Amino acid sequence: MSTPTPPQNAPEIPEILPVLPLNNVVLFPGMFLPLVVSGDMWVKLVDEAALSTKMVGVFMRTQPGEGFDPLALARTGTAALIVRMLRLPHGAVQILVQGQARIQIMQLIVSEPYPQARMSIHRDPAVLSVEVSGLARAALAAFQQIIQLSPTLPDELAIVAANTAQPGMLADLIAANLNLKPEDQQLVLDTLDVQDRLRQVLSFLEREREILTIGRKAQEEMSKSQREYVLRQQLEAIRRELGETDEHAAEIAELRRRLEAANLPEEARKEAEREISRLERMPPGAAEYVVSRTYLDWLLDLPWNVSTEDNLDLAQARQVLDEDHYDLERIKERIIEYLAVRKLRLEQNATGSARGPILCFVGPPGVGKTSLGASIARALGRKFVRVALGGVRDEAEIRGHRRTYIGALPGRIIQGINRAGSNNPVFMLDEVDKLSVGFQGDPAAALLEVLDPEQNAAFVDRYLDVPFDLSRALFICTANRSDTIPPALLDRMELLELAGYTEMEKLEICRRYLIQRQRSEQGLAERGPTITEAALRRLIREYTHEAGVRDLERRIGAIYRKMATRAAEGQSLPDQVDAPDLDDLLGPPRFRSETLLGEDEVGVVTGLAWTPTGGDVLFVEASVVPGNGQLTLTGQLGDVMKESARAALTYARSRARSLNIPTDFAQICDIHIHVPAGAVPKDGPSAGITMASALISALTGRPARKHVAMTGEITLRGKVLPIGGVKEKLLAAQRAGVHTVLLPKANAPDLREIPEETRQHLEIILVEHMDEVLPHVLHPRSEPATQPELTPADGMGTAQTT
């Protein structure tokens, strides 16, 4: 589009003009525009206009097309004078038009043979305000600055703009020559008020100035890089001419090439350039040369800006989790929630910040904590990294060693990121509850910075000594128990508990995963026999006793190893392995629930305990012998458990008359309470009602039901208080063959997390007081209790603990 030329002796604009639509072209008043017109209707329009008034109304189409649609025309157009016309082959004509004034369609007169309309003509006022003059000067200054910055606008355009006296025409000139979209040019044409038009043009000028400034800076930086590249090439050529090329120079050149390709952040790039320059001046035989070179390798190999794209298809994520793990619905739902939040954040913000709580899977061994992390990585489409923290006691294992030490390396976090090859892997920190504290520092304290979303965006490894962004990684921790995790570290985590599996769940896991995996590992993928459901049930009940499935998989592996041995020796294999075959394949059973519980006895009560490997059955024995009132506790009991025993004794003494126990039993007999498996330390308040039941059974001579298990804390007045680990304890009771379980009534809400199979297998009775416990545990008295003849010893005995 040419520069404006105010029409000299401009012809009068008729009220009725033919309408010529244009695609993606805007004509401003005073501007020249060459056009090529084709089509019978539009050629006829130009021919007749050239022979009469030589004026046409030019309007931009808002919807590109070839026909005429009055609704698809811009609101404002331009009355154009046909200055020159030239006929082209194939019936088209080329015309040169000059804009005269802004026009708007008032009424469509005819549409055949071509459209004509009555127009309203808008001209800029001759007298303008001081504000308009000020805006015009500002626009002129900004336009002249853009001409200097732009490589495409000619310098003569600045002279033309300076000599444009009318502010309205100056705005049109600027809009016509700026790199604007047709829609933005039409917006300027639609603005009839000169003052508003200048403001509109000023906003476009400011935007264009910012774009050109950024472009010039980028071009200068590119020119600088190109210049450095050329100089290095020349330097290498000079060295080759002089015969000075060596391996050292080639190594430095390779490092610089890797630096250019690494796309490091600014701070890391400066450090790498400084280290390369230092390495270039250092002789290869120097002691520090290898240290510096190793540091550069770590710095350049790290995935500073390499990320894997998240797969946020929730349906596919559910499918992956269901394929890899059976049940664990609560855990899977929490993972789906994380993906849903991530998806919504990406829709709202392109950066998609991954900040959120750190997930920590807590549960006994073998329940699938680590493999669940691998499934999360597969569902997300991310890399998976696992770091075992068990026994780590050096803070440098997390933060890295300083380069001044011999054999220094980055910490395990940076090493894991480097192995993953991306800065957003699923990073699993295994056994976070087994961190140790040594004289080298506290690694748990170092993990605080790694796991804190507010700090890990600028994590500084001591070896690298530059910040690395860990906020994109998804950290997942695992632990067998939560009470040994440092409180400050625990505060940054969201605990998700995996209690263990029921028998039905173990059966399903065997069918879906374990059998096929072990058949493949033992080389029997195509011809290995199947294991019947009866054999699997016996395997679960009599050969394993665990919360998870790790030992169960080992037993299945042992079966298929026996089969592999037979196949290698040329023997035929059975079609299936049934329950009776387990005796020959695995030997005699290790566990029997009937043998485990045994017959009902006086003074022996079945309790339930929580352990780091899941729930377990705990037997409490009590015995009464003649003495002088001593209380003996054995079985490596902790302080809390000893206090529970004393509370149980006090309760029995306070209720001696109603329980039909001699009121002076504490003076004429000694009491011994023992918990078997004395080599294993035991502690906790949940054995309180178990100890009280065993003590009262021994004092009354009433046998206790072995198939009734219980757990709960006891007070001096016999109240039963709530405890923890309900799910683990009930699963242990089910594994052991218990029929009835007594729970504190306050633990009723915990029963919602108990599997339906377990609730159907066990009779769960909620109790609030020891008076409710004893009728369920002790056999009814068939005859008056016969107490042994106990003679008091010399003096009053005192309670002692052994």
Side-chain angles (χ1 to χ4, degrees), residues 125-355:
V127 180
L128 299 172
S129 63
V130 177
E131 292 182 1
V132 172
S133 300
L135 290 171
R137 290 185 181 180
L140 176 60
F143 187 52
Q144 289 175 339
Q145 184 179 1
I146 286 176
I147 291 173
Q148 295 176 354
L149 293 172
S150 175
T152 58
L153 295 179
D155 296 337
E156 292 80 4
L157 196 57
I159 300 174
V160 175
N163 288 282
T164 303
Q166 299 178 16
M169 184 170 288
L170 176 63
D172 292 342
L173 168 68
I174 294 172
N177 287 279
L178 276 183
N179 186 21
L180 298 180
K181 297 179 181 178
E183 294 81 5
D184 294 336
Q185 290 182 333
Q186 183 63 44
L187 185 62
V188 175
L189 188 66
D190 289 339
T191 308
L192 303 180
D193 184 75
V194 177
Q195 184 173 338
D196 293 341
R197 195 186 311 163
L198 285 168
R199 287 198 177 95
Q200 185 72 47
V201 168
L202 275 170
S203 66
F204 290 137
L205 285 168
E206 184 62 30
R207 185 183 68 183
E208 187 69 15
R209 180 165 53 190
E210 290 181 3
I211 293 173
L212 290 173
T213 302
I214 294 173
R216 172 161 289 192
K217 288 181 179 178
Q219 187 175 6
E220 290 175 354
E221 291 178 1
M222 187 180 300
S223 300
K224 181 181 178 182
S225 299
Q226 291 175 345
R227 182 171 176 271
E228 290 178 356
Y229 174 77
V230 171
L231 290 175
R232 287 197 188 98
Q233 294 297 320
Q234 292 176 348
L235 181 60
E236 288 187 11
I238 293 171
R239 285 177 175 172
R240 282 196 300 270
E241 289 293 331
L242 296 175
E244 294 180 356
T245 56
D246 56 12
E247 294 182 1
H248 179 57
E251 190 174 17
I252 297 298
E254 175 64 17
L255 288 173
R256 292 191 184 279
R257 186 196 63 77
R258 289 172 58 188
L259 176 60
E260 292 297 327
N263 192 21
L264 270 62
E266 185 63 27
E267 188 171 348
R269 182 182 180 85
K270 289 181 179 178
E271 182 66 21
E273 289 177 345
R274 186 185 69 81
E275 198 66 25
I276 290 176
S277 300
R278 181 168 171 265
L279 194 69
E280 191 173 17
R281 298 188 300 269
M282 191 185 305
E288 294 184 9
Y289 186 88
V290 176
V291 175
S292 184
R293 175 58 199 269
T294 305
Y295 172 73
L296 281 170
D297 285 339
W298 276 103
L299 205 61
L300 298 176
D301 288 342
L302 279 175
W304 296 90
N305 294 291
V306 179
S307 302
T308 54
E309 185 177 353
D310 282 350
N311 175 23
L312 299 177
D313 187 345
L314 302 186
Q316 182 179 352
R318 288 182 189 273
Q319 180 181 350
V320 170
L321 294 174
D322 290 338
E323 287 176 358
D324 292 351
H325 290 83
Y326 177 72
D327 196 42
L328 303 179
E329 294 302 327
R330 182 183 169 203
I331 309 295
K332 295 177 183 177
E333 194 61 34
R334 180 62 184 87
I335 297 167
I336 297 299
E337 289 172 3
Y338 172 84
L339 296 179
V341 171
R342 174 90 172 152
K343 183 176 182 179
L344 293 179
R345 283 186 174 180
L346 281 173
E347 292 175 356
Q348 297 172 3
N349 183 2
T351 59
S353 173
R355 290 187 178 183

Side-chain angles (χ1 to χ4, degrees), residues 343-403:
K343 183 176 182 179
L344 293 179
R345 283 186 174 180
L346 281 173
E347 292 175 356
Q348 297 172 3
N349 183 2
T351 59
S353 173
R355 290 187 178 183
I358 307 300
L359 302 181
C360 181
F361 299 145
V362 179
V367 295
K369 301 186 293 295
T370 304
S371 60
L372 196 57
S375 297
I376 294 173
R378 192 162 79 91
L380 278 170
R382 294 191 183 189
K383 302 292 183 65
F384 178 68
V385 182
R386 174 185 171 272
V387 172
L389 299 178
V392 172
R393 62 178 61 198
D394 189 353
E395 182 184 353
E397 292 287 330
I398 306 299
R399 293 188 186 273
H401 301 80
R402 298 194 182 278
R403 278 183 285 160

